[in-house]
Amino acid sequence: MTNKLDDEQMLSLEELVVSHSYEMLALITVLEKKGILTRGEIIEVIKEMRDSQG
């Protein structure tokens, strides 16, 4: 069962988006530094995903 969060525990949508963005950037940076992928490859996959959505 889930517990209801009080106002102090709730994140705003903006805080959530910023946090998620930093997490994604950190993962991309680590993978890029290890030579596993490039930012260009990521951008290409994002474009492919957007195109397939609609």
Side-chain angles (χ1 to χ4, degrees):
M1 187 168 165
T2 61
N3 296 330
K4 185 173 178 168
L5 300 176
D6 61 30
D7 289 340
E8 291 180 12
Q9 293 174 311
M10 293 188 68
L11 291 175
S12 71
L13 181 56
E14 181 180 359
E15 290 171 320
L16 185 61
V17 169
V18 169
S19 176
H20 185 269
S21 297
Y22 279 123
E23 291 170 8
M24 294 302 298
L25 182 56
L27 286 170
I28 291 166
T29 301
V30 169
L31 293 171
E32 187 177 38
K33 284 182 178 180
K34 290 183 174 280
I36 296 172
L37 52 75
T38 66
R39 288 181 194 262
E41 290 172 319
I42 293 169
I43 292 168
E44 184 179 317
V45 171
I46 290 170
K47 286 178 182 177
E48 290 172 4
M49 292 173 74
R50 285 182 181 161
D51 291 345
S52 71
Q53 291 289 321

